[in-house]
Amino acid sequence: MPSYIDETAERYVRAVGPEHDDLHAEMAAFADEHDFPIIGPDAGALLRSYAAATQAEQVFEFGSGFGYSAYWFLQGMADDGRIVLTEIDEAELAKGEEFLSHAGLADRATFEHGDAMAIAHDYAGPFDVVLIDHQKSRYADAFDLIRDDIAPGGVVIADNVLYGGHDYHDSLDYVEGTGDLPDDENVRGIVSYLETVREADGFHTAIVPVGSGLAVTVRDGA
Ligand SMILES: C[S@@+](CC[C@H](N)C(=O)[O-])C[C@H]1O[C@@H](n2cnc3c(N)ncnc32)[C@H](O)[C@@H]1O
């Protein structure tokens, strides 16, 4: 994965930053083995922090893979907090259930196989934290779908706003107003998402360049 920081800074962050516990290390090894794009420890630890800061009772994920990001959330959430994992790939979801069972956490998770957008319609919130990490072309629609279900002070986190199936350099000229938007669905999806959250009344967004880049959008009114 490319990085926004240079190699030395990355080594420094790895040396002083959050570490994997045994289960996260096992999941990361599984991701390496299968070339699967997990959110990684720096972004993952931020998910844990937001879950802890909001004392999250309810978390929803668009695109859960085999539960790596969900495990970070569960480490920060309220003791009785629950998380909904959604995943289009049944085998990945089953692997997630297996991993979270090993940690004794599967009973705090709901494993939903299918299209995350369709599944989201069945949940009313309020959500303390939502992770958007599925198809970039649908990020903005995902935000529009759940924005009214975010608790006051709740947080929507979108992964891959800098990298991950696209590279922010591709839209730099466009966002600076000096060039066109490339005809690429991932690039367009991310730009559209960032425009959507920036214009959303009652929400404030910060771009946090950890991992592949997170957009952290907080709902006013805590
Ligand atoms: C980047 S991975 C998620 C990684 C996970 N959040 C983590 O860090 O552990 C994206 C996942 O979204 C899934 N996905 C793609 N489209 C989806 C959809 N419409 N509904 C649910 N899952 C979807 C993919 O199968 C893939 O496993």
Side-chain angles (χ1 to χ4, degrees):
M1 173 173 50
S3 174
Y4 66 96
I5 54 177
D6 68 32
E7 199 184 319
T8 318
E10 198 163 331
R11 279 172 46 205
Y12 188 85
V13 170
R14 280 280 42 80
V16 300
E19 290 183 334
H20 282 143
D21 67 9
D22 287 349
L23 181 59
H24 262 140
E26 197 185 325
M27 291 170 131
F30 183 83
D32 274 352
E33 201 181 315
H34 295 86
D35 201 20
F36 183 87
I38 52 173
I39 202 163
D42 300 321
L46 210 67
L47 304 185
R48 180 178 61 188
S49 296
Y50 281 110
T54 57
Q55 276 300 287
E57 298 277 354
Q58 286 246 63
V59 173
F60 188 95
E61 289 192 326
F62 288 84
S64 296
F66 53 80
Y68 175 90
S69 50
Y71 183 41
W72 280 108
F73 274 130
L74 282 159
Q75 289 180 331
M77 292 167 65
D79 289 345
D80 59 349
R82 295 194 57 83
I83 184 164
V84 180
L85 290 82
T86 67
E87 179 50 57
I88 202 91
D89 182 321
E90 197 167 8
E92 275 173 30
L93 191 68
K95 189 70 188 169
E97 187 160 5
E98 189 185 313
F99 275 131
L100 293 185
S101 297
H102 287 165
L105 292 168
D107 60 339
R108 288 176 49 204
T110 304
F111 299 89
E112 293 273 21
H113 170 231
D115 175 37
M117 308 285 285
I119 295 162
H121 280 287
D122 295 336
Y123 286 85
F127 300 117
D128 302 295
V129 190
V130 168
L131 175 66
I132 302 180
D133 194 12
H134 63 324
Q135 295 148 292
K136 289 149 201 76
S137 57
R138 298 171 86 193
Y139 273 27
D141 288 345
F143 178 77
D144 284 336
L145 189 59
I146 47 82
R147 55 179 290 166
D148 291 340
D149 299 328
I150 303 301
V155 187
V156 182
I157 301 171
D159 189 28
N160 300 123
V161 302
L162 296 177
Y163 293 112
H166 73 108
D167 182 319
Y168 74 90
H169 291 95
D170 297 338
S171 55
L172 185 56
D173 289 345
Y174 172 79
V175 298
E176 288 186 334
T178 59
D180 294 332
L181 192 55
D183 187 16
D184 175 284
E185 70 169 352
N186 288 344
V187 174
R188 287 181 175 234
I190 293 298
V191 169
S192 162
Y193 181 78
L194 295 175
E195 288 172 348
T196 299
V197 291
R198 192 143 88 151
E199 286 162 15
D201 284 340
F203 292 86
H204 290 94
T205 298
I207 307 298
V208 185
V210 298
S212 301
L214 302 178
V216 177
T217 300
V218 178
R219 186 169 195 178
D220 293 347

